[in-house]
Amino acid sequence: MTVCAIEPPSTDGSAGVPGTGCAITADGAYAARLARDGDSWFPERWTLDGPEPYAVPLPGNQPEGPGTEVQPMGDGRVLIHRPVAGRHAFSLLYPTGPGTGELPLGAVECAGPGTRLTLLPPAPGGVRAYALAVGPRSSVVWLVAGGAFGPQRCAEVPGRCSGGVWLDGSGRLLALDRELDGRTKTVVVDLERAGEVSPLLQIAEGSDDRLLLADPDSGLLLISSDAPSPGRERLGWGVLGSTLPVRFPECLRVPECVVTPFAIQPGQVLMPENCAVGLRIDGSLGTWVGVWRPAGREVRHLPAPEGWLAGTGLCTRDGVLRLPYATEATPCGVSDVPAPGGVAAPATAGAGDAAREGTGVVAREGTGVVAAERTGGVAAERAGGVAAERAGGAQGPDPDGGAAGAFERVGPVGAEPGPPVPAAARPVPLQQAPLGRLVTN
């Protein structure tokens, strides 16, 4: 089923409602949001990787209207999506002295009533940007910036999709939550294999399972599912490729509050249980920040900075939460909050530790955990007690007792332990995760 058709680039500058919060590039260098000037809204780019953050306003010829979205690109330009009368126009904005330059990229026209098109989260690398058009019976992934010519159709997925989580550092594997036949399950779309779709997450046949966040370094997954409590969503965690069940910690259930993960600490290769996870917590008393680690049994509750662009932020490799905020006195600010509760991985673990620490033991014993960092040229893979480092094809002894070698593949989710996989030209798509069991604690 064709959901949308391409239109050639247009220069009419039609404005489209302002979004809320902000979007941040995968490397944390830039952010973009719609800022308010009285009753009007205009795009604004934030630079976050300098000595101190600063904002550059990028107003157009007229205020932005309902439905407008913005997203930062890796080179500092800002992608803007303006919907109007069924058309979705895309342009790149950039500062030009006192004014704003605009490079039209073309438009997508959605056919049929009920079709909705929104930007997907910023892709790794910052060179490309994607959008998801959701129709009555199928969803289409569009490349809207970074292609050879205008918007390009990348994949069509049967069912109504939502979410959007990048599983690797190259921007190839996109996880979407697909609603089909009354149930929601997460699938993976391989954007380099003609949009090939494969299942990723199914905890129980009758459950609704969604992927909220993923970290390519450690393989840590943050999951929402009603499997442990039918009819009620709960937060859980697992590890990509692990043979252990998904865990649903009791500490992530905050009474009469909504808990939403928004950031995972990167760089914890093979140590998913040590990753700090930033949580947005909304309750009757307001909105605040939580920090949790899979190895711990509690959530640390922290006050949010005044003017926090709630639900947005990132976590550094050192475990510092960077929370963007805007107040009248500080229109562009970032609050750095050290994540408490850092835990060093123990050298050994017995059966009792396995029950207590969950997937942390999988990383040490090597039962099919995959952890990869693609952006820095380094990848490590655990498959049957084997660790590998790709940087320069380095080889050496594995501290866990396995051999080391070079790899170019991400194994199937839930692969059984086995011998190391020889170097291949491309990763294989992820397959269904072994998440048929669950643990609540």
Side-chain angles (χ1 to χ4, degrees):
M1 172 187 174
T2 301
V3 176
C4 301
I6 295 177
E7 285 194 4
S10 170
T11 58
D12 63 9
S14 303
V17 178
T20 58
C22 71
I24 305 176
T25 55
D27 64 1
Y30 294 103
R33 71 170 190 137
L34 287 165
R36 192 163 192 162
D37 181 13
D39 294 331
S40 301
W41 297 84
F42 63 91
E44 187 176 72
R45 186 199 71 196
W46 289 23
T47 299
L48 304 179
D49 61 349
E52 60 181 52
Y54 65 91
V56 175
L58 297 170
N61 296 325
Q62 63 187 69
E64 302 302 333
T68 297
E69 296 179 290
V70 292
Q71 185 173 116
M73 304 296 291
D75 59 3
R77 293 184 294 180
V78 171
L79 173 69
I80 188 165
H81 161 221
R82 298 181 176 114
V84 56
R87 292 179 67 251
H88 298 265
F90 298 91
S91 297
L92 288 173
L93 307 179
Y94 53 93
T96 56
T100 301
E102 182 166 340
L103 174 64
L105 300 177
V108 172
E109 182 172 352
C110 291
T115 299
R116 180 172 173 266
L117 186 144
T118 56
L119 292 176
L120 286 164
V127 176
R128 297 184 173 189
Y130 295 85
L132 179 67
V134 183
R137 293 182 296 276
S138 68
S139 305
V140 174
V141 178
W142 289 87
L143 173 65
V144 295
F149 54 89
Q152 300 174 30
R153 181 190 180 101
C154 296
E156 182 167 3
V157 182
R160 296 178 59 83
C161 293
S162 59
V165 175
W166 297 100
L167 296 176
D168 64 334
S170 66
R172 170 178 178 172
L173 300 176
L174 173 67
L176 295 172
D177 301 324
R178 176 175 67 175
E179 180 186 348
L180 188 65
D181 299 328
R183 294 296 177 191
T184 300
K185 307 291 182 184
T186 304
V187 297
V188 178
V189 181
D190 189 332
L191 298 177
E192 291 188 9
R193 297 190 67 182
E196 180 179 279
V197 179
S198 54
L200 175 69
L201 182 61
Q202 177 170 306
I203 298 177
E205 185 175 350
S207 61
D208 290 322
D209 311 315
R210 296 175 175 86
L211 180 63
L212 306 180
L213 285 179
D215 174 56
D217 291 344
S218 63
L220 179 63
L221 307 178
L222 272 295
I223 294 160
S224 170
S225 176
D226 62 356
S229 305
R232 184 175 58 188
E233 297 287 331
R234 288 188 59 176
L235 286 181
W237 69 283
V239 177
L240 200 61
S242 172
T243 58
L244 291 183
V246 172
R247 291 183 173 273
F248 293 87
E250 191 66 27
C251 65
L252 294 181
R253 301 176 67 183
V254 182
E256 300 182 5
C257 292
V258 177
V259 181
T260 308
F262 65 86
I264 300 178
Q265 180 183 0
Q268 305 297 298
V269 178
L270 304 181
M271 296 166 60
E273 73 279 11
N274 285 358
C275 293
V277 178
L279 306 170
R280 169 182 173 171
I281 306 176
D282 296 282
S284 59
L285 299 179
T287 298
W288 63 95
V289 179
V291 179
W292 167 80
R293 297 176 190 266
R297 288 186 171 272
E298 64 178 358
V299 173
R300 302 289 184 93
H301 296 266
L302 307 170
E306 180 185 358
W308 181 35
L309 304 179
T312 60
L314 57 92
C315 191
T316 69
R317 290 176 175 266
D318 297 327
V320 176
L321 285 177
R322 308 207 71 205
L323 307 177
Y325 68 92
T327 64
E328 186 173 347
T330 307
C332 174
V334 175
S335 178
D336 289 344
V337 180
V343 179
T348 60
D353 295 323
R356 183 168 59 254
E357 297 175 12
T359 50
V361 175
V362 178
R364 290 188 292 276
E365 295 183 352
T367 50
V369 172
V370 176
E373 178 183 86
R374 298 172 182 271
T375 55
V378 178
E381 179 170 359
R382 298 286 288 177
V386 176
E389 180 178 87
R390 278 200 304 201
Q395 300 187 16
D398 177 6
D400 290 334
F407 293 88
E408 289 289 340
R409 289 169 49 145
V410 174
V413 176
E416 293 297 324
V421 183
R426 53 174 172 72
V428 298
L430 299 172
Q431 301 298 326
Q432 184 166 334
L435 303 177
R437 297 177 292 158
L438 54 92
V439 174
T440 57
N441 56 17

